Amino acid sequence: MASETPSARKTTLRSILGLARTQARQVDWGLVIAVALGLFAASPFLLRPGLPRHTDAELHIYRAAELGHIIREGVLYPRWSPNLYLGYGYPIFHYYAPLTYYVSNAFALLLPGVGIVGGVKAVFVVGLVAASVGAYLLGRELFGPEPAVIAAAAFGFCPYALFIDPHARGVLAEHFAISLAPLSFYFFHRLMRGPTRGTLLGSVTFLGAVVFSHNLTGLVVSGLLAGYWIWEVVFGGRGRSWRWGPIAFALAAALVAFFWLPALLESGAVKLDVIGPGHFDFREHFLSLAELLAPSRRIDWGATGPRYRHNLGLAQWVLAIPALIAVIKGINTPRMDGAGRHLAFFLAAGLGLSFLMTRPSTFVWERIPVMPYLQFPWRLLGPANLMVAICAAGSMALLPEGLWRRWAVTGGFVFVILTALPLLYPPPWPADFGGTTPADILEWEKDSQALGTTSTGDFLPVTVEVIPPPMDTLVRSYRDDGPIDKVNRATLPEGAGVTVVEHKPNYDRFRVVTPTRFVLRLYTFYFPGWRAYVNGERVDIEIARPEGFITLDIPEGTHDVLVRFEATEPRMLGGVVSAVALIALGVILAGWSREQEPVVLSPCAECHPATWLALGASLLLIVLVKGAVLDPHEVLYHHSAPGHAVPAQHTLRAEFGDQDQPKIELIGHDLPRAEVRPGDIVPVVLYWRALTDLETNYQSFVHVAQPLDVAWAQEDHLNPGGLPTSRWPTDRYVWDEYSIRLPQQLPPGTYSVNVGIYSLSDGGRRLQRVDGIDTARDSIVIGSIEVVGPGAP
């Protein structure tokens, strides 16, 4: 056989290279970069074992573990969690959207060796990737692939999605719901643009998934999508396509009706203590405009918890300014391809959401009944960041295609990531999270007092008037190898015996032998759906007061007793509605002929290769510099040594204790405002540390006083820094933030800022100063403020 000539080899090589170029042009490199962004955002989860404790991530891990235990017992959709609330049971999955816990268990089942902690971590990671990918797809649909990369970076690396939700708060469900919001908007926009089977299925699936992930976020995202639909109908003139918006909403709502409809109809069966005065009052959590627009802080690993800002992200709002100017001036260039209308909606929504996070919006929160259930106005940061990210992409779309746009996109891309880098350093957490068995969960509930994995007993049945303490026999049965024993054996009559025949998540079966009639008392809270049977005959359940336990009358003799959790009419109704919706969706999709589907082309992905090369190289360079230079030298985070608080504006040493026994030390403070006016808010931050292990929970105060024993304004904290002092470590400090509102009638003058520690359990007695500094025996003046201007009449 003749050897191949050099010219033939060159021809073959050209063919291969040509084929490679063709294949490369068919790749959506923007989508690849969006995935890479999501993985970079998830790097703390990917590079560290375990998950943090002492954030809400703990709650979500135990909920996911509880769901896994129940599923393995054969109950696929439990509305009752038998092992929660000290083993008395809790209807958390009946009221709290459980999708993330199902996904966590799916990862734990499909990935060998991952376990439920790894499954929860996987959901966090998937959420971060979905956030970037969804924002990219939405931005690409509106403005093209190059601006869409800015949308992916601006949303995936916004403070709320990158750090606040997954790390600082650890709220798995809300994080996942917010991350799916861009995909909901993407499919809904496509549906409005030209309905197809894929866009209808995507719209219904992702909107339903948001609702089934987090109740409150589902309401917010649904409201925004409804607003977008109205905007398009009023200003877009979409012809007959407008009908598909309500159809998608109805199908999504009906598909998850098995969850929300029974929860709504049976909301009166639980206390729902989630609004009202105190920590969960929305009035306590408004943001200032300065905080919204401020850059992110560096995190201090020497603190018990990260101190961060609830902000939009510096780069995000800066990049959105050109879009704001363009909309105000009515600029709609040919390059925007008619997307100015969409941009105007996202700008209006972003500004509206930002306004709702500030105090001037109080009247809105007070007049719309559902708003107080959000509890924290800053919860709107996630949706607001999505709006701002699309506006940032719109700013890039205003530029002409070519070199200037490529430079602007690359510069904006780098700007977003660099300003977000400090948030990629969450405080370290233990490599081993610990056990997640029902016994482990019960012990954790006892220690943390987060009964039912909720902080306020949100879903405690209304029949529980007094919270019972842990019962020794029940707790012991969780530790032992035998079945869980929920019988109150102390109340059994002499000669009676009760044997646990079978214990399952949704029923208990007993064999009862008794010489006399008696009342069988169970350590299970009553909740609608519990029914009792003696020898197959249904008997009445009596609710024991004040604990709310199940009791039933047992006649003398030998009996088979069954106590079972069954469906109620609202739950059956919800199931029927969801089944009908599923059938209807299937019929619509099956009956959709290909001739009915309009050809809807996505914006061309064939951008100049230099754009993708510059973006990819920039991201790779940032990753390499972070790993090789920034990480080893602790450039982007603090690591205060014990007894020090690097971020503190002022350092000091003031020890508090009893009889020359120091217990707590004030090591620093922030007092940024020296001159104020009546009615202003005085911000103060105190930095405490425990000098020894504390058994008592102490309280802290800040007084604005003149003279020292007359407080004109004050703020006290039940748990300084949001952490009971009995849980303060000795090797890290606690930051304790105050916002003290001055009276409108406060006279001008100089006022001392006086702080101290006291014990409510000891009648309000203050701890004494034991550091030898003669300022005040039971407090310390950390500074003064000057009140200028007259008080209000």
Side-chain angles (χ1 to χ4, degrees):
M1 181 181 293
S3 61
E4 190 176 19
T5 64
S7 61
R9 285 197 296 271
K10 289 180 180 180
T11 301
T12 302
L13 181 60
R14 290 194 192 98
S15 299
I16 294 173
L17 291 175
L19 180 62
R21 291 193 195 97
T22 302
Q23 294 294 326
R25 289 181 181 275
Q26 294 176 356
V27 175
D28 188 341
W29 291 106
L31 184 59
V32 173
I33 290 173
V35 173
L37 279 171
L39 293 174
F40 185 34
S43 57
F45 289 118
L46 295 172
L47 298 177
R48 299 179 186 177
L51 277 175
R53 303 194 72 115
H54 307 306
T55 71
D56 281 2
E58 219 171 18
L59 309 178
H60 293 286
I61 290 170
Y62 288 132
R63 290 176 192 172
E66 170 73 354
L67 180 64
H69 299 316
I70 297 172
I71 291 174
R72 285 189 289 275
E73 291 283 344
V75 181
L76 298 182
Y77 189 72
R79 297 181 183 274
W80 183 258
S81 300
N83 303 309
L84 298 185
Y85 219 100
L86 303 175
Y88 306 139
Y90 200 54
I92 188 164
F93 299 129
H94 186 54
Y95 295 100
Y96 195 96
L99 177 61
T100 51
Y101 311 132
Y102 278 98
V103 179
S104 299
N105 277 281
F107 278 117
L109 178 65
L110 297 175
L111 302 177
V114 165
I116 195 60
V117 175
V120 169
K121 179 186 287 190
V123 175
F124 276 120
V125 172
V126 169
L128 288 163
V129 174
S132 293
V133 169
Y136 171 77
L137 293 174
L138 178 58
R140 188 189 69 181
E141 189 67 21
L142 295 173
F143 308 118
E146 286 182 341
V149 175
I150 294 298
F155 185 62
F157 277 74
C158 72
Y160 201 75
L162 178 67
F163 176 78
I164 296 175
D165 255 5
H167 292 292
R169 299 179 64 213
V171 284
L172 178 72
E174 184 179 337
H175 160 75
F176 196 68
I178 287 293
S179 299
L180 295 182
L183 288 167
S184 298
F185 265 94
Y186 166 71
F187 281 105
F188 195 78
H189 172 80
R190 290 289 302 268
L191 182 69
M192 293 290 291
R193 184 182 177 192
T196 67
R197 278 181 289 193
T199 56
L200 177 62
L201 182 61
S203 298
V204 172
T205 299
F206 281 101
L207 178 55
V210 171
V211 173
F212 199 41
S213 293
H214 190 250
N215 311 34
L216 297 176
T217 303
L219 284 175
V220 174
V221 173
S222 297
L224 288 170
L225 282 172
Y228 185 59
W229 175 77
I230 293 172
W231 187 277
E232 288 294 288
V233 170
V234 173
F235 300 108
R238 285 295 183 185
R240 291 187 297 175
S241 295
W242 70 268
R243 298 176 301 176
W244 289 99
I247 291 173
F249 272 109
L251 286 171
L255 276 177
V256 292
F258 68 92
F259 162 66
W260 65 264
L261 186 57
L264 181 63
L265 295 178
E266 296 181 335
S267 59
V270 292
K271 298 186 176 182
L272 281 177
D273 294 330
V274 294
I275 59 174
H279 178 68
F280 296 104
D281 184 356
F282 66 86
R283 298 172 187 83
E284 302 295 323
H285 300 282
F286 283 116
L287 304 177
S288 66
L289 183 61
E291 183 169 8
L292 273 174
L293 302 181
S296 297
R297 285 190 174 102
R298 286 192 290 174
I299 306 302
D300 189 354
W301 289 10
T304 54
R307 186 177 178 221
Y308 55 91
R309 290 189 173 104
H310 291 91
N311 57 336
L312 291 169
L314 176 64
Q316 281 81 351
W317 67 263
V318 167
L319 292 176
I321 288 177
L324 175 63
I325 296 172
V327 169
I328 291 174
K329 291 188 173 182
I331 299 174
N332 189 16
T333 67
R335 292 179 296 277
M336 293 284 286
D337 193 24
R341 181 181 69 255
H342 309 309
L343 183 58
F345 168 80
F346 287 101
L347 271 168
L351 291 171
L353 290 167
S354 298
F355 170 72
L356 288 174
M357 289 184 279
T358 61
R359 192 166 297 278
S361 70
T362 301
F363 72 96
V364 179
W365 290 80
E366 291 175 342
R367 285 167 175 76
I368 300 179
V370 73
M371 293 289 285
Y373 284 93
L374 289 174
Q375 300 171 328
F376 312 116
W378 44 255
R379 260 190 171 140
L380 298 175
L381 268 172
N385 267 122
L386 176 58
M387 305 298 111
V388 172
I390 298 304
C391 294
S395 295
M396 297 299 161
L398 293 167
L399 298 172
E401 295 181 10
L403 182 62
W404 282 109
R405 179 191 273 194
R406 292 199 294 273
W407 276 106
V409 168
T410 304
F413 180 80
V414 172
F415 182 30
V416 169
I417 297 176
L418 290 182
T419 54
L421 280 182
L423 302 179
L424 286 177
Y425 295 91
W429 56 74
D432 182 14
F433 179 84
T436 57
T437 67
D440 294 323
I441 298 174
L442 195 152
E443 289 298 323
W444 171 81
E445 285 186 327
K446 289 167 55 181
D447 293 339
S448 68
Q449 291 301 301
L451 303 180
T453 69
T454 53
S455 56
T456 59
D458 309 356
F459 312 120
L460 193 64
V462 293
T463 50
V464 180
E465 300 168 3
V466 174
I467 297 174
M471 299 300 176
D472 290 339
T473 56
L474 178 59
V475 172
R476 236 183 351 260
S477 71
Y478 272 95
R479 297 178 186 145
D480 296 341
D481 294 333
I484 304 301
D485 185 2
K486 298 210 171 190
V487 177
N488 184 344
R489 298 191 174 274
T491 62
L492 295 181
E494 186 176 354
V498 179
T499 304
V500 180
V501 176
E502 193 175 12
H503 168 78
K504 291 292 183 181
N506 58 340
Y507 69 88
D508 282 285
R509 187 181 295 277
F510 310 100
R511 183 176 182 271
V512 180
V513 180
T514 175
T516 182
R517 177 182 293 271
F518 76 103
V519 176
L520 177 63
R521 301 177 182 273
L522 302 180
Y523 292 138
T524 297
F525 287 145
Y526 176 79
F527 184 72
W530 279 112
R531 296 192 176 98
Y533 302 86
V534 176
N535 299 326
E537 296 291 330
R538 184 174 171 182
V539 299
D540 291 335
I541 289 177
E542 294 292 333
I543 304 172
R545 306 288 183 175
E547 299 91 347
F549 288 141
I550 291 174
T551 72
L552 58 150
D553 192 59
I554 304 294
E556 63 179 280
T558 301
H559 307 284
D560 175 72
V561 177
L562 174 65
V563 181
R564 184 168 60 199
F565 190 72
E566 300 176 355
T568 60
E569 289 184 1
R571 296 164 206 172
M572 290 187 285
L573 176 62
V576 169
V577 172
S578 294
V580 171
L582 185 61
I583 294 171
L585 179 61
V587 169
I588 293 173
L589 296 177
W592 205 310
S593 65
R594 292 188 178 276
E595 289 76 13
Q596 291 176 290
E597 297 191 17
V599 178
V600 181
L601 298 176
S602 297
C604 179
E606 291 190 4
C607 298
H608 197 287
T611 303
W612 310 125
L613 183 61
L615 291 170
S618 300
L619 180 58
L620 180 60
L621 181 61
I622 291 172
V623 172
L624 292 176
V625 170
K626 176 183 178 297
V629 179
L630 302 181
D631 291 359
H633 293 89
E634 301 183 1
V635 175
L636 294 179
Y637 65 95
H638 301 299
H639 199 169
S640 295
H644 298 272
V646 173
Q649 181 184 11
H650 306 284
T651 60
L652 54 81
R653 287 288 183 271
E655 296 179 354
F656 296 83
D658 289 319
Q659 298 177 348
D660 298 328
Q661 295 295 319
K663 295 182 177 181
I664 296 175
E665 182 181 27
L666 182 65
I667 60 175
H669 71 275
D670 297 346
L671 187 59
R673 299 188 64 181
E675 188 174 281
V676 294
R677 301 180 68 85
D680 283 357
I681 291 178
V682 178
V684 178
V685 181
L686 305 178
Y687 298 84
W688 306 99
R689 84 161 174 137
L691 298 174
T692 185
D693 292 332
L694 301 172
E695 297 180 357
T696 302
N697 283 329
Y698 293 100
Q699 288 65 52
S700 59
F701 69 84
V702 175
H703 291 174
V704 175
Q706 184 196 53
L708 208 56
D709 58 348
V710 178
W712 290 82
Q714 71 180 77
E715 184 175 327
D716 291 42
H717 286 177
L718 181 65
N719 294 314
L723 186 67
T725 59
S726 60
R727 296 174 60 184
W728 284 10
T730 56
D731 60 341
R732 287 173 291 158
Y733 69 83
V734 174
W735 56 273
D736 190 18
E737 193 165 17
Y738 298 76
S739 297
I740 306 167
R741 182 171 292 277
L742 301 179
Q744 292 286 354
Q745 297 80 15
L746 187 65
T750 302
Y751 293 81
S752 299
V753 180
N754 191 37
V755 309
I757 293 284
Y758 65 97
S759 172
L760 277 176
S761 61
D762 194 13
R765 186 181 63 85
R766 294 184 183 182
L767 290 183
Q768 300 298 300
R769 291 280 302 280
V770 292
D771 49 28
I773 301 175
D774 188 19
T775 303
R777 292 181 55 192
D778 55 11
S779 62
I780 180 173
V781 175
I782 61 171
S784 63
I785 56 173
E786 188 72 23
V787 177
V788 298

Short mmCIF file of all heavy atoms in Angstrom, two decimals, residues 44 48 51-53 55 163 167-168 298-308 422-430 637-639 732 735:
data_model
loop_
_atom_site.label_atom_id
_atom_site.label_comp_id
_atom_site.label_asym_id
_atom_site.label_seq_id
_atom_site.Cartn_x
_atom_site.Cartn_y
_atom_site.Cartn_z
N PRO A 44 -16.61 25.92 48.53
CA PRO A 44 -16.50 25.58 49.95
C PRO A 44 -17.19 24.27 50.30
O PRO A 44 -16.70 23.51 51.15
CB PRO A 44 -17.18 26.77 50.65
CG PRO A 44 -17.04 27.91 49.69
CD PRO A 44 -17.16 27.27 48.34
N ARG A 48 -14.66 20.89 51.34
CA ARG A 48 -14.66 20.60 52.78
C ARG A 48 -15.58 19.43 53.07
O ARG A 48 -16.69 19.38 52.54
CB ARG A 48 -15.13 21.81 53.59
CG ARG A 48 -14.29 23.06 53.45
CD ARG A 48 -14.91 24.15 54.30
NE ARG A 48 -14.26 25.45 54.14
CZ ARG A 48 -14.66 26.57 54.74
NH1 ARG A 48 -15.73 26.52 55.53
NH2 ARG A 48 -14.02 27.70 54.55
N LEU A 51 -20.75 19.37 57.12
CA LEU A 51 -21.54 20.58 56.98
C LEU A 51 -21.54 21.30 58.33
O LEU A 51 -21.33 20.68 59.37
CB LEU A 51 -22.97 20.26 56.55
CG LEU A 51 -23.23 20.04 55.06
CD1 LEU A 51 -24.66 19.62 54.81
CD2 LEU A 51 -22.90 21.28 54.24
N PRO A 52 -21.80 22.61 58.31
CA PRO A 52 -21.72 23.36 59.57
C PRO A 52 -22.84 23.01 60.53
O PRO A 52 -23.94 22.64 60.14
CB PRO A 52 -21.83 24.83 59.11
CG PRO A 52 -22.51 24.77 57.80
CD PRO A 52 -22.09 23.50 57.17
N ARG A 53 -22.52 23.13 61.82
CA ARG A 53 -23.53 23.07 62.86
C ARG A 53 -23.79 24.50 63.33
O ARG A 53 -23.10 25.43 62.94
CB ARG A 53 -23.04 22.20 64.02
CG ARG A 53 -22.66 20.78 63.60
CD ARG A 53 -22.52 19.88 64.80
NE ARG A 53 -23.83 19.59 65.38
CZ ARG A 53 -24.38 18.37 65.42
NH1 ARG A 53 -23.77 17.36 64.87
NH2 ARG A 53 -25.55 18.18 65.97
N THR A 55 -26.09 26.45 62.47
CA THR A 55 -26.87 27.25 61.52
C THR A 55 -28.12 26.43 61.22
O THR A 55 -28.28 25.31 61.70
CB THR A 55 -26.10 27.53 60.22
OG1 THR A 55 -25.99 26.31 59.46
CG2 THR A 55 -24.70 28.07 60.49
N PHE A 163 -23.69 33.32 49.68
CA PHE A 163 -23.22 33.19 51.06
C PHE A 163 -24.32 33.22 52.11
O PHE A 163 -24.39 32.34 52.98
CB PHE A 163 -22.21 34.32 51.36
CG PHE A 163 -21.73 34.33 52.77
CD1 PHE A 163 -20.75 33.43 53.20
CD2 PHE A 163 -22.24 35.24 53.69
CE1 PHE A 163 -20.31 33.43 54.51
CE2 PHE A 163 -21.80 35.24 55.00
CZ PHE A 163 -20.84 34.34 55.41
N HIS A 167 -24.64 29.57 53.56
CA HIS A 167 -23.59 29.47 54.58
C HIS A 167 -23.96 30.18 55.89
O HIS A 167 -23.94 29.56 56.95
CB HIS A 167 -22.28 30.03 54.05
CG HIS A 167 -21.67 29.22 52.95
ND1 HIS A 167 -21.17 27.96 53.15
CD2 HIS A 167 -21.52 29.48 51.62
CE1 HIS A 167 -20.71 27.47 52.01
NE2 HIS A 167 -20.92 28.38 51.07
N ALA A 168 -24.28 31.46 55.82
CA ALA A 168 -24.55 32.21 57.05
C ALA A 168 -25.82 31.71 57.73
O ALA A 168 -25.85 31.53 58.94
CB ALA A 168 -24.67 33.70 56.74
N ARG A 298 -15.40 41.33 54.80
CA ARG A 298 -14.58 40.14 54.99
C ARG A 298 -15.06 39.39 56.23
O ARG A 298 -15.39 39.98 57.24
CB ARG A 298 -13.10 40.51 55.14
CG ARG A 298 -12.45 40.95 53.84
CD ARG A 298 -10.93 41.03 53.98
NE ARG A 298 -10.53 42.15 54.83
CZ ARG A 298 -9.27 42.36 55.19
NH1 ARG A 298 -8.31 41.53 54.82
NH2 ARG A 298 -8.97 43.40 55.94
N ILE A 299 -15.09 38.08 56.14
CA ILE A 299 -15.57 37.24 57.23
C ILE A 299 -14.42 36.99 58.21
O ILE A 299 -13.27 36.84 57.81
CB ILE A 299 -16.10 35.90 56.68
CG1 ILE A 299 -17.16 36.17 55.60
CG2 ILE A 299 -16.67 35.05 57.79
CD1 ILE A 299 -18.33 36.99 56.06
N ASP A 300 -14.75 36.97 59.49
CA ASP A 300 -13.75 36.70 60.53
C ASP A 300 -13.95 35.29 61.08
O ASP A 300 -14.99 34.99 61.68
CB ASP A 300 -13.86 37.72 61.66
CG ASP A 300 -12.70 37.63 62.65
OD1 ASP A 300 -11.88 36.68 62.52
OD2 ASP A 300 -12.60 38.49 63.54
N TRP A 301 -12.98 34.43 60.88
CA TRP A 301 -13.06 33.05 61.36
C TRP A 301 -12.89 32.98 62.88
O TRP A 301 -13.12 31.92 63.47
CB TRP A 301 -12.00 32.19 60.69
CG TRP A 301 -12.29 31.92 59.24
CD1 TRP A 301 -13.26 32.49 58.47
CD2 TRP A 301 -11.61 31.00 58.40
NE1 TRP A 301 -13.22 31.98 57.19
CE2 TRP A 301 -12.21 31.07 57.12
CE3 TRP A 301 -10.54 30.12 58.59
CZ2 TRP A 301 -11.79 30.29 56.05
CZ3 TRP A 301 -10.11 29.36 57.51
CH2 TRP A 301 -10.73 29.43 56.26
N GLY A 302 -12.50 34.09 63.50
CA GLY A 302 -12.34 34.09 64.94
C GLY A 302 -13.61 34.42 65.70
O GLY A 302 -13.60 34.47 66.93
N ALA A 303 -14.72 34.63 64.97
CA ALA A 303 -16.01 34.91 65.59
C ALA A 303 -16.85 33.65 65.67
O ALA A 303 -16.62 32.68 64.93
CB ALA A 303 -16.75 35.99 64.80
N THR A 304 -17.83 33.65 66.58
CA THR A 304 -18.71 32.49 66.68
C THR A 304 -19.62 32.36 65.46
O THR A 304 -20.08 31.28 65.13
CB THR A 304 -19.59 32.59 67.93
OG1 THR A 304 -20.27 33.86 67.91
CG2 THR A 304 -18.75 32.48 69.19
N GLY A 305 -19.90 33.47 64.80
CA GLY A 305 -20.72 33.47 63.60
C GLY A 305 -20.28 34.59 62.70
O GLY A 305 -19.76 35.61 63.16
N PRO A 306 -20.48 34.44 61.40
CA PRO A 306 -20.00 35.48 60.47
C PRO A 306 -20.82 36.75 60.58
O PRO A 306 -22.05 36.71 60.70
CB PRO A 306 -20.19 34.82 59.09
CG PRO A 306 -21.29 33.83 59.30
CD PRO A 306 -21.14 33.33 60.70
N ARG A 307 -20.16 37.88 60.55
CA ARG A 307 -20.84 39.16 60.49
C ARG A 307 -20.81 39.63 59.04
O ARG A 307 -19.76 39.83 58.45
CB ARG A 307 -20.16 40.19 61.40
CG ARG A 307 -20.94 41.50 61.46
CD ARG A 307 -20.32 42.48 62.42
NE ARG A 307 -21.07 43.74 62.40
CZ ARG A 307 -20.51 44.93 62.42
NH1 ARG A 307 -19.18 45.04 62.49
NH2 ARG A 307 -21.25 46.02 62.39
N TYR A 308 -21.98 39.80 58.49
CA TYR A 308 -22.08 40.10 57.06
C TYR A 308 -23.15 41.15 56.84
O TYR A 308 -23.90 41.51 57.75
CB TYR A 308 -22.44 38.83 56.28
CG TYR A 308 -23.71 38.15 56.78
CD1 TYR A 308 -24.95 38.47 56.25
CD2 TYR A 308 -23.65 37.21 57.81
CE1 TYR A 308 -26.10 37.87 56.72
CE2 TYR A 308 -24.80 36.61 58.28
CZ TYR A 308 -26.02 36.94 57.74
OH TYR A 308 -27.17 36.36 58.21
N PRO A 422 -14.62 37.61 48.88
CA PRO A 422 -14.61 37.44 50.35
C PRO A 422 -15.70 36.50 50.87
O PRO A 422 -15.56 35.92 51.95
CB PRO A 422 -14.82 38.87 50.87
CG PRO A 422 -14.31 39.74 49.78
CD PRO A 422 -14.64 39.04 48.51
N LEU A 423 -16.77 36.34 50.10
CA LEU A 423 -17.87 35.48 50.54
C LEU A 423 -17.61 34.00 50.26
O LEU A 423 -18.42 33.15 50.64
CB LEU A 423 -19.17 35.92 49.86
CG LEU A 423 -19.58 37.37 50.13
CD1 LEU A 423 -20.87 37.70 49.39
CD2 LEU A 423 -19.73 37.63 51.62
N LEU A 424 -16.50 33.71 49.60
CA LEU A 424 -16.13 32.31 49.37
C LEU A 424 -15.30 31.75 50.52
O LEU A 424 -14.71 30.67 50.39
CB LEU A 424 -15.35 32.17 48.06
CG LEU A 424 -16.17 32.30 46.78
CD1 LEU A 424 -15.27 32.23 45.56
CD2 LEU A 424 -17.24 31.21 46.71
N TYR A 425 -15.27 32.49 51.65
CA TYR A 425 -14.51 32.04 52.82
C TYR A 425 -15.42 31.94 54.04
O TYR A 425 -15.22 32.64 55.05
CB TYR A 425 -13.36 33.00 53.11
CG TYR A 425 -12.32 33.05 52.02
CD1 TYR A 425 -12.42 33.97 50.98
CD2 TYR A 425 -11.24 32.17 52.02
CE1 TYR A 425 -11.46 34.01 49.98
CE2 TYR A 425 -10.28 32.21 51.02
CZ TYR A 425 -10.40 33.13 50.00
OH TYR A 425 -9.46 33.17 49.01
N PRO A 426 -16.43 31.08 53.98
CA PRO A 426 -17.26 30.89 55.18
C PRO A 426 -16.42 30.29 56.29
O PRO A 426 -15.42 29.60 56.03
CB PRO A 426 -18.35 29.93 54.71
CG PRO A 426 -17.73 29.17 53.59
CD PRO A 426 -16.82 30.15 52.90
N PRO A 427 -16.78 30.52 57.56
CA PRO A 427 -16.00 29.95 58.66
C PRO A 427 -15.92 28.43 58.54
O PRO A 427 -16.85 27.78 58.06
CB PRO A 427 -16.80 30.36 59.90
CG PRO A 427 -17.57 31.55 59.48
CD PRO A 427 -17.90 31.34 58.04
N PRO A 428 -14.80 27.86 58.94
CA PRO A 428 -14.66 26.40 58.86
C PRO A 428 -15.65 25.69 59.77
O PRO A 428 -16.12 26.25 60.76
CB PRO A 428 -13.21 26.15 59.30
CG PRO A 428 -12.79 27.37 60.02
CD PRO A 428 -13.59 28.51 59.50
N TRP A 429 -15.98 24.47 59.41
CA TRP A 429 -16.89 23.66 60.21
C TRP A 429 -16.28 22.29 60.45
O TRP A 429 -15.35 21.89 59.74
CB TRP A 429 -18.25 23.54 59.52
CG TRP A 429 -18.22 23.00 58.11
CD1 TRP A 429 -18.01 21.71 57.72
CD2 TRP A 429 -18.43 23.74 56.90
NE1 TRP A 429 -18.08 21.60 56.37
CE2 TRP A 429 -18.34 22.83 55.83
CE3 TRP A 429 -18.71 25.08 56.63
CZ2 TRP A 429 -18.50 23.23 54.50
CZ3 TRP A 429 -18.86 25.46 55.30
CH2 TRP A 429 -18.76 24.55 54.26
N PRO A 430 -16.75 21.55 61.45
CA PRO A 430 -16.17 20.24 61.75
C PRO A 430 -16.32 19.28 60.57
O PRO A 430 -17.32 19.30 59.84
CB PRO A 430 -16.99 19.75 62.95
CG PRO A 430 -17.59 20.98 63.53
CD PRO A 430 -17.82 21.92 62.39
N TYR A 637 -10.00 37.24 54.23
CA TYR A 637 -10.77 36.99 55.45
C TYR A 637 -9.89 37.25 56.65
O TYR A 637 -8.66 37.25 56.57
CB TYR A 637 -11.33 35.56 55.48
CG TYR A 637 -10.28 34.46 55.56
CD1 TYR A 637 -9.92 33.92 56.79
CD2 TYR A 637 -9.67 33.97 54.42
CE1 TYR A 637 -8.98 32.92 56.88
CE2 TYR A 637 -8.72 32.97 54.49
CZ TYR A 637 -8.38 32.45 55.73
OH TYR A 637 -7.42 31.45 55.80
N HIS A 638 -10.54 37.50 57.79
CA HIS A 638 -9.83 37.68 59.05
C HIS A 638 -9.79 36.35 59.80
O HIS A 638 -10.62 35.47 59.59
CB HIS A 638 -10.54 38.72 59.93
CG HIS A 638 -10.68 40.06 59.31
ND1 HIS A 638 -9.60 40.82 58.93
CD2 HIS A 638 -11.79 40.80 59.01
CE1 HIS A 638 -10.02 41.97 58.42
NE2 HIS A 638 -11.34 41.98 58.45
N HIS A 639 -8.83 36.26 60.71
CA HIS A 639 -8.76 35.10 61.60
C HIS A 639 -8.25 35.60 62.95
O HIS A 639 -7.09 35.42 63.32
CB HIS A 639 -7.86 34.01 61.04
CG HIS A 639 -8.11 32.67 61.67
ND1 HIS A 639 -7.57 31.50 61.18
CD2 HIS A 639 -8.84 32.31 62.74
CE1 HIS A 639 -7.97 30.49 61.92
NE2 HIS A 639 -8.74 30.96 62.88
N ARG A 732 -13.36 31.97 70.77
CA ARG A 732 -13.88 32.86 69.73
C ARG A 732 -14.78 33.92 70.37
O ARG A 732 -15.37 33.68 71.42
CB ARG A 732 -14.69 32.07 68.68
CG ARG A 732 -13.81 31.23 67.74
CD ARG A 732 -14.67 30.36 66.84
NE ARG A 732 -15.33 29.30 67.60
CZ ARG A 732 -16.42 28.67 67.19
NH1 ARG A 732 -17.00 28.99 66.07
NH2 ARG A 732 -16.94 27.70 67.93
N TRP A 735 -20.07 38.74 68.32
CA TRP A 735 -20.41 40.13 67.98
C TRP A 735 -21.90 40.36 68.22
O TRP A 735 -22.74 39.54 67.87
CB TRP A 735 -20.01 40.48 66.54
CG TRP A 735 -20.59 39.60 65.48
CD1 TRP A 735 -20.07 38.43 65.01
CD2 TRP A 735 -21.80 39.81 64.75
NE1 TRP A 735 -20.87 37.90 64.05
CE2 TRP A 735 -21.95 38.72 63.86
CE3 TRP A 735 -22.78 40.81 64.77
CZ2 TRP A 735 -23.03 38.62 63.00
CZ3 TRP A 735 -23.86 40.70 63.90
CH2 TRP A 735 -23.97 39.62 63.02
#
